[in-house]
Amino acid sequence: VTRTPERQAPPRRLPGRVSLVGAGPGDPDLLTGRAVARLGAAELVLYDGLTSRRALALAPGAAHVSVARRVGRKPLTQDRVIAMMVDAARRGLRVVRLKSGDPGLLGRGGEEAQALVRAGVRVEVVPGLSTALAAPALAGIPVTHRGLSAAVVGVSGHAAEGYGAILDRLTPGSATIVVLMGLGQRTSIARRLRRAGWPAMTPAAIIVDASRARQRVWSGTLGALGRRDGVTGREQPGVIVIGDVVAVRTPLEVFRS
Ligand SMILES: C[S@@+](CC[C@H](N)C(=O)[O-])C[C@H]1O[C@@H](n2cnc3c(N)ncnc32)[C@H](O)[C@@H]1O
C-alpha cells in the first residue's frame, strides 16, 4: 500500500519581499545593475560590516540597519536577523539584505533564503562579484593562466576543519588556491601546504581591502606567507592567492571614466 504523504499547508505569503543582494568587493561601481535598482527601490536595508557607505547612499528611501558583528556589541544572532526580515515582509516592505561579495559564497545566503521561504516571504537572490575572483583580478592576478593553472580551489580559512582535508589532498601545483577569511590562519595554511609537498618558493599573494582606496597587495612566496612577514597592520578583510599565477601579476590601472 502506498501512502500519499500528508500535504503541508503552504506558508501564507507575506506582502513584502526580500532581495538577498551581493554587494561585490566594496566599490559601488562594481555593484550589478540589478543590485543598484533594488537598493534604489528599498525601504529597509540590512547590511553587513563590509558594506560601503557609498553603497548605502544608493538607497536614499530606505532605513539602514547594520547587522554586523561588532567588537563590544552583542552580535545579532542569525535567527534575529531573519526575524527582522520576516517582520519587515509582514509589514509589506521591500527589504534589501546586502552582503559582501556574492551572497552564496561563505555568506550564509542559502540559509537565509531557506528560512525566509519557510516563513512565507518572497525572496530573490541578486548575485554579486565575489572577492574570491574580484580581489585577485583587481590585483592583476589571473586565477587561471594558460600553461600555469587551469583550476581554482576556493576555501574558507576560518577554521582548519574547513580547509584541512582539501589542502592535504591537493597535488602540489595542480590548482590555484584562493583563501577567504584566512589571514589569521595563514601560518597554519602555509605549513599545511608545505607538509603536503608544495615548494616554499610557490608564489603567493595577499590582497587586502580590494577595490577600496586603501587596497594593498603583498606578493611573495608560500615560505614567506607562513613566516607572517607579509601584510602588516590592519589585516581584514583579505584574500590569499597561492600558485604560479601570482608570478604573472601585471600592474593594472582603474580608469575612473
Ligand atoms: C564572510 S566572507 C564573505 C565572502 C563574500 N560572500 C564573497 O563572495 O566575497 C568575508 C571574507 O571575504 C573576503 N573579503 C570581503 N571583502 C573583501 C575585500 N574588499 N578585499 C579583500 N577581501 C575581502 C575576506 O576574505 C573576508 O574575510
Side-chain angles (χ1 to χ4, degrees):
V1 181
T2 52
R3 279 241 191 104
T4 319
E6 270 176 43
R7 280 263 185 88
Q8 272 197 337
R12 196 168 54 85
R13 303 267 274 177
L14 301 174
R17 64 183 209 194
V18 174
S19 303
L20 297 172
V21 176
D27 182 342
D29 285 358
L30 296 174
L31 286 164
T32 63
R34 194 176 291 177
V36 172
R38 295 301 180 267
L39 283 165
E43 292 159 301
L44 172 65
V45 178
L46 299 177
Y47 62 95
D48 285 339
L50 297 173
T51 305
S52 92
R53 298 261 151 235
R54 280 170 57 217
L56 292 176
L58 297 171
H64 303 162
V65 177
S66 166
V67 293
R69 289 157 206 277
R70 286 221 202 101
V71 183
R73 202 182 77 166
K74 220 171 143 209
L76 287 177
T77 61
Q78 189 70 1
D79 284 351
R80 178 79 195 106
V81 175
I82 290 164
M84 287 165 78
M85 288 191 274
V86 174
D87 179 59
R90 196 167 282 136
R91 290 186 284 131
L93 300 184
R94 290 168 193 231
V95 180
V96 165
R97 172 78 173 98
L98 198 58
K99 291 171 167 289
S100 77
D102 181 82
L105 193 96
L106 302 175
R108 296 186 166 189
E111 270 172 55
E112 292 183 15
Q114 281 184 323
L116 290 166
V117 168
R118 270 199 302 270
V121 180
R122 292 168 59 215
V123 184
E124 71 168 351
V125 170
V126 180
L129 197 51
S130 176
T131 53
L133 297 177
L138 291 165
I141 301 168
V143 289
T144 64
H145 193 79
R146 192 145 56 99
L148 289 182
S149 172
V152 186
V153 171
V155 294
S156 161
H158 178 64
E161 302 89 72
Y163 61 77
I166 295 162
L167 298 189
D168 290 351
R169 284 179 183 77
L170 200 59
T171 305
S174 61
T176 303
I177 301 173
V178 177
V179 186
L180 265 61
M181 298 195 287
L183 292 193
Q185 292 269 341
R186 65 182 189 270
T187 305
S188 324
I189 291 169
R191 200 183 306 129
R192 202 140 193 157
L193 288 170
R194 295 279 296 112
R195 264 207 315 267
W198 289 68
M201 292 310 288
T202 304
I206 300 173
I207 305 112
V208 177
D209 276 324
S211 85
R212 295 160 196 239
R214 37 183 203 267
Q215 172 175 310
R216 279 173 298 143
V217 183
W218 170 86
S219 61
T221 62
L222 185 59
L225 182 75
R227 289 197 300 273
R228 286 182 157 272
D229 54 0
V231 170
T232 54
R234 205 176 63 79
E235 288 193 340
Q236 288 286 340
V239 170
I240 303 172
V241 184
I242 300 163
D244 290 335
V245 291
V246 173
V248 296
R249 181 177 165 210
T250 313
L252 301 175
E253 297 174 49
V254 177
F255 302 134
R256 287 296 170 191
S257 61

